[in-house]
């Protein structure tokens, strides 16, 4: 399994917001500004699945632009979207707000939509994608465990605090991408200290700290495992 890190930052960083492309087939999150960085990195003709963690703009905002790319591609197979419940309702509202209401009629033509609430295991195209609810400052936020046909597993925390769902993701996988938004403990995101504690506790696993501030990324390379934008990691 190949995981390419498209972005590893947060909204206020010099680096692009965090998202990933897995085996050139699965896109994880569609944050604002991401499509500019994805040009030349991902091949939309090969894209089969889009996974959304939650509906904050730095994880979801540019799906409407990707929708336009998919409508223009030669491959007319539907792309499956796996996202928290209420996805379709929210996506339609975004298209209306952006005066793209006419595109709503094309959603079912180009997408198969699976809405999740946590606990589902979805078998699709040789992958198993397990949705695991995590705690964040939104109505619903998901982390995921993705398993390929060879049994290789990778976990993505999404945005989360220290919670049961996060520990569940870590314990199911050998490789996990975990958010690290803040230098200090806050009630909405994982902190530097918590990432260090998880790294110490789970020494037998590979934990990548992503979704990092510039302060963390620039000053803690020696303490955290932080992949670079554009880096490809083999699981």
């Amino acid at each position: 399994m190949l995981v390419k890190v498209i972005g590893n930052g947060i909204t206020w960083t010099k680096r692009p917001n965090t998202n990933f492309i897995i085996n050139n087939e699965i896109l994880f999150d569609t944050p604002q500004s991401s499509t500019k960085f994805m040009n030349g990195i991902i091949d939309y003709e090969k894209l089969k699945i889009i996974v959304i963690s939650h509906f904050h703009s730095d994880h979801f905002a540019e799906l409407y632009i990707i929708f336009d790319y998919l409508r223009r591609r030669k491959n007319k197979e539907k792309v499956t979207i796996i996202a928290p419940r209420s996805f379709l309702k929210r996506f339609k509202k975004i298209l209306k707000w952006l005066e793209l209401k006419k595109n709503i009629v094309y959603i079912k033509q180009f997408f198969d939509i699976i809405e999740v609430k946590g606990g589902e295991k979805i078998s699709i195209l040789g992958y198993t994608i397990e949705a695991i609810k995590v705690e964040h400052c939104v109505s619903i936020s998901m982390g995921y465990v993705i398993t390929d046909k060879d049994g290789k597993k990778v976990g993505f925390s999404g945005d989360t605090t220290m919670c049961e769902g996060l520990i569940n993701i870590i314990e199911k996988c050998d490789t996990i991408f975990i958010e690290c938004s803040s230098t200090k403990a806050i009630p909405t995101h994982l902190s530097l200290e918590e990432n260090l504690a998880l790294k110490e506790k789970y020494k037998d696993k590979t934990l990548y700290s992503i979704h990092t501030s510039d302060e963390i990324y620039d000053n803690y390379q020696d303490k955290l495992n932080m992949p670079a934008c554009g880096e490809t990691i083999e699981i």
Side-chain angles (χ1 to χ4, degrees), residues 18-206:
T18 297
N19 68 325
F20 308 88
I21 184 76
I22 302 156
N23 289 342
N24 295 312
E25 295 181 328
I26 304 175
L27 180 62
F28 187 92
D29 276 346
T30 60
Q32 81 264 30
S33 77
S34 61
T35 50
K36 289 293 185 182
F37 292 98
M38 288 192 291
N39 286 337
I41 292 178
I42 75 167
D43 183 349
Y44 286 101
E45 294 293 331
K46 296 178 180 178
L47 187 60
K48 296 179 179 179
I49 303 167
I50 298 173
V51 178
I52 301 295
S53 62
H54 64 290
F55 301 122
H56 276 160
S57 63
D58 60 329
H59 294 263
F60 175 57
E62 290 206 352
L63 182 59
Y64 77 95
I65 299 176
I66 292 170
F67 187 16
D68 275 345
Y69 279 106
L70 295 174
R71 287 178 58 203
R72 288 168 170 78
R73 71 178 186 169
K74 296 176 182 178
N75 180 359
K76 298 306 179 183
E77 293 180 2
K78 288 186 179 182
V79 170
T80 297
I81 294 181
I82 299 171
R85 65 177 185 270
S86 78
F87 162 80
L88 183 56
K89 178 180 178 181
R90 291 169 187 261
F91 189 47
K92 286 180 177 179
K93 282 185 177 180
I94 287 174
L95 293 176
K96 289 178 182 178
W97 290 335
L98 296 173
E99 298 190 6
L100 296 170
K101 184 178 178 179
K102 63 181 181 179
N103 288 347
I104 291 175
V105 298
Y106 297 109
I107 292 175
K108 290 185 178 181
Q109 180 180 343
F110 292 97
F111 292 139
D112 284 326
I113 296 170
I114 301 173
E115 296 190 355
V116 294
K117 60 181 180 180
E120 298 89 347
K121 287 186 178 181
I122 300 155
S123 295
I124 179 171
L125 300 173
Y127 298 94
T128 298
I129 300 177
E130 181 177 1
I132 299 175
K133 189 175 181 181
V134 294
E135 299 300 324
H136 185 41
C137 55
V138 291
S139 58
I140 185 167
S141 188
M142 293 291 159
Y144 293 88
V145 173
I146 299 176
T147 308
D148 69 9
K149 62 183 179 181
D150 298 319
K152 300 288 183 66
K153 289 187 178 184
V154 61
F156 299 91
S157 71
D159 279 5
T160 183
T161 58
M162 191 68 73
C163 63
E164 182 180 350
L166 171 65
I167 300 304
N168 191 6
I169 293 167
I170 293 172
E171 292 185 346
K172 286 176 179 287
C173 304
D174 292 324
T175 303
I176 311 98
F177 292 85
I178 299 176
E179 73 120 308
C180 185
S181 301
S182 175
T183 53
K184 298 179 180 179
I186 56 176
T188 55
H189 288 278
L190 289 175
S191 67
L192 170 65
E193 181 179 343
E194 288 168 321
N195 269 250
L196 291 170
L198 288 169
K199 184 179 177 183
E200 179 65 23
K201 180 177 180 181
Y202 294 100
K203 291 181 179 179
D204 59 329
K205 298 177 182 291
T206 302

